[in-house]
Amino acid sequence: MAIKTTDLNARLFGKADKRRATTPAEAQTAAKDKASVIELAVAGEDTVAFELVKIKAGDVSGKTRVFAENAREQAFLNEHALADILTTLKDRGQQYPAVGRWLDDGKIEVLDGSRRRMSCILAEKDFLIYVGKGINSEHAKFLSDVANAHKPLSLFERGKEMQALLESGKVSDQKELAKYCQCSEALVSGALKAAALPMEVLMAYPSVGELGRPTIVKLHRLFFGLPPELQQTFVTDLVNTDEAMWKSINASGITRITREVTNQLEQMGETLQPKVEIEKPKSQELVKGKISYTRDGDKLQLKLKKLSERQADDILAYLADYLK
């Protein structure tokens, strides 16, 4: 049976002074106490003991790695995407330990806490993590998926999960996906469009999690409106820069930077494939002040003024008879 996130948090941080936390408040207290060992019945099954491990700041990258099936895309974790926890972590250090498992090579695989891990790397702070032994892949996926409820996944990340459901055959189309994921079909469509975009396009932004459906739809139309050879050129142009596009934007605030990146990407697309402006047919005067017309191929538009009721009836009758 599924376990609620609040219950998981309480159990995860609750084995302090030989007792389990049963409320979020008790869980927070237990976490602050940083008990050296906690016990957790993973997915309501086997109880696993987790040992608290402190990894020195300089060793975090080398001694840990993130669970391969973690839905959160690690390439998107930068100072903007982590702003909600990075400031506090820089000032006070890591407040709540992550959760992971020991690997056969002696490294630690992070199941819950990939954002805290990257924040410690960026802030050059020690990394705290509860580590368990003998956690199988199914239980590891459970811990990873439940943990992602703390910070919503981006449309790209949700789209990747949805695409996997389609490919596995668990659902057959977007309508079934919406029911399975308990969301609207519009959200499913936007998420799948995001997942179809190249990583290079999304990494032009400071925080992919801030991209809503309107921006995703615009980017999808922009990129897939290019022929394949120009799509490759578009991606190559993004890669062949010294830094991510968002870093070159002279603006403050994530919203303004995001808007400017979108504008620049649109300009890149227009440079590669300029819009062909089709000159609209001009109106011609037939009877000065009374009749003008516009011809567009096999279309003819008449504009008549100052007609009496009889004239209008006669003209309509003539056209109806002539064009039978």
Side-chain angles (χ1 to χ4, degrees), residues 247-307:
K247 293 184 178 180
S248 65
I249 302 296
N250 185 22
S252 59
I254 195 167
T255 301
R256 287 188 60 191
I257 295 174
T258 297
R259 185 169 57 246
E260 288 301 316
V261 168
T262 301
N263 290 339
Q264 287 198 20
L265 290 175
E266 287 180 316
Q267 290 172 14
M268 284 178 59
E270 290 179 10
T271 300
L272 290 174
Q273 185 171 263
K275 292 181 181 179
V276 178
E277 296 292 339
I278 301 176
E279 187 176 353
K280 294 182 179 179
K282 294 181 180 179
S283 177
Q284 304 290 325
E285 196 167 54
L286 185 62
V287 177
K288 189 172 182 179
K290 285 190 174 184
I291 305 175
S292 60
Y293 68 92
T294 304
R295 294 188 63 175
D296 184 5
D298 61 352
K299 298 176 184 177
L300 175 64
Q301 184 179 31
L302 290 171
K303 188 173 182 181
L304 299 90
K305 302 178 184 177
K306 302 176 182 179
L307 294 179

Side-chain angles (χ1 to χ4, degrees), residues 162-163 166 171-193:
M162 291 177 182
Q163 190 61 52
L166 286 170
V171 293
S172 60
D173 55 30
Q174 292 191 22
K175 190 170 185 177
E176 283 191 21
L177 256 180
K179 290 181 180 179
Y180 186 91
C181 298
Q182 297 182 345
C183 63
S184 68
E185 289 185 50
L187 178 58
V188 169
S189 176
L192 291 176
K193 280 183 169 64

